[in-house]
Amino acid sequence: MSKVFIMDHPLIQHKVSRLRCTDTGSKEFRELVREISQLMCYEATRELPLEDYELETPIGTAVGKRIAGKNLSIVPILRAGLGMVDGMLDLVPTAKVGHIGLYRDPETLQPVEYYCKLPQDIQERDLFVLDPMLATGGSAVAAVQFIKDKGAKNINFLCLIAAPEGLKTLQDAHPDVNIYVACLDEKLNDHGYIVPGLGDAGDRLFGTK
Ligand code: PRP
Ligand code: URA
């Protein structure tokens, strides 16, 4: 079964609460998503393997550490996942960025794919799939399946708010994926929105609606 990490850091809890507020406008919303993504990136990269290398300091030689293997890749799910990209790149600026375009059909709640562009060597990289909202889990399950179909193996999923239903669906479909959640909420409503959630993440990020 996949490992689920619920972030309990006070800074994350504080910032997610601001994110939820109806009176938080798009500018502050974007800033908060970026900051929370940075903090989550710090936690989600904790297990990355390191290798030793020799370096010169002004005084002598030292054995340094660097991330082993290929750099990682981040894969935002369009559109709302875009809001998390800069926070990740702030800490891992050399990461390659793939994109998966999905939207949730408002009637059926099923994910509909409209775009997919991934780094060619994706199978050699540690992947971090980004989407602020894990609601029914349909979009996350489909996105992870796309990248698995391209050969990806080491996959992590990062979201800001999850519903228990979506978390279970993602775990059941992809038990090998580690899931990082800033806040686990109560439930979904009849329209597939997370309660209490924050509303429509894409609309709040980009000021649509
Ligand atoms: C939102 C969100 C997720 C999805 C979650 O995207 O960003 O991708 O819904 O719902 P699910 O877990 O039930 O699949 P949306 O479809 O609203 O598209 P957008 O990002 O373009 O606004
Ligand atoms: N997508 C969102 O943006 N918000 C929700 O609560 C559910 C799906």
Side-chain angles (χ1 to χ4, degrees), residues 83-97:
M84 299 174 72
V85 170
D86 285 344
M88 296 289 291
L89 289 178
D90 286 340
L91 297 197
V92 196
T94 55
K96 297 256 173 96
V97 184

Side-chain angles (χ1 to χ4, degrees), residues 11 13 19 28 33 60-62 66 72 110 113 125 138-139 150 159 163 167 178-180 184 191-192 201 203-204:
L11 287 175
Q13 296 308 310
L19 207 54
E28 189 188 353
V33 169
T61 58
R66 64 184 166 208
L72 47 89
Q110 291 304 305
E113 183 201 356
R125 294 175 177 269
S139 304
K150 308 267 182 198
C159 66
L167 190 57
N178 292 328
I179 307 170
Y180 296 84
L184 181 60
H191 304 288
D203 283 342
R204 296 200 61 185

Side-chain angles (χ1 to χ4, degrees), residues 12-25 28-29 32 36 198 204:
I12 295 182
Q13 296 308 310
H14 178 96
K15 290 174 191 291
V16 171
S17 301
R18 280 300 306 153
L19 207 54
R20 295 182 189 277
C21 291
T22 311
D23 64 2
T24 299
E28 189 188 353
F29 194 92
L32 287 163
I36 297 163
L198 50 73
R204 296 200 61 185

Side-chain angles (χ1 to χ4, degrees), residues 3 28 30 37 45 63 70 76 92 115 121 140 162 176 180 192:
K3 285 193 208 146
E28 189 188 353
R30 278 195 292 273
S37 304
T45 51
V63 177
K70 289 261 185 185
V92 196
Y115 188 77
D121 54 0
D176 53 322
Y180 296 84

Side-chain angles (χ1 to χ4, degrees), residues 38-116:
Q38 283 178 356
L39 294 166
M40 292 185 74
C41 178
Y42 180 76
E43 281 299 324
T45 51
R46 188 176 283 283
E47 301 295 331
L48 285 181
L50 290 170
E51 64 186 14
D52 291 347
Y53 73 107
E54 199 167 289
L55 58 85
E56 295 293 329
T57 79
I59 311 298
T61 58
V63 177
K65 304 272 185 201
R66 64 184 166 208
I67 307 293
K70 289 261 185 185
N71 275 315
L72 47 89
S73 280
I74 57 181
V75 183
I77 302 178
L78 306 180
R79 247 177 342 158
L82 288 174
M84 299 174 72
V85 170
D86 285 344
M88 296 289 291
L89 289 178
D90 286 340
L91 297 197
V92 196
T94 55
K96 297 256 173 96
V97 184
H99 295 88
I100 295 179
L102 288 176
Y103 70 89
R104 203 169 67 144
D105 183 286
E107 301 299 327
T108 65
L109 300 184
Q110 291 304 305
V112 181
E113 183 201 356
Y114 60 89
Y115 188 77
C116 185

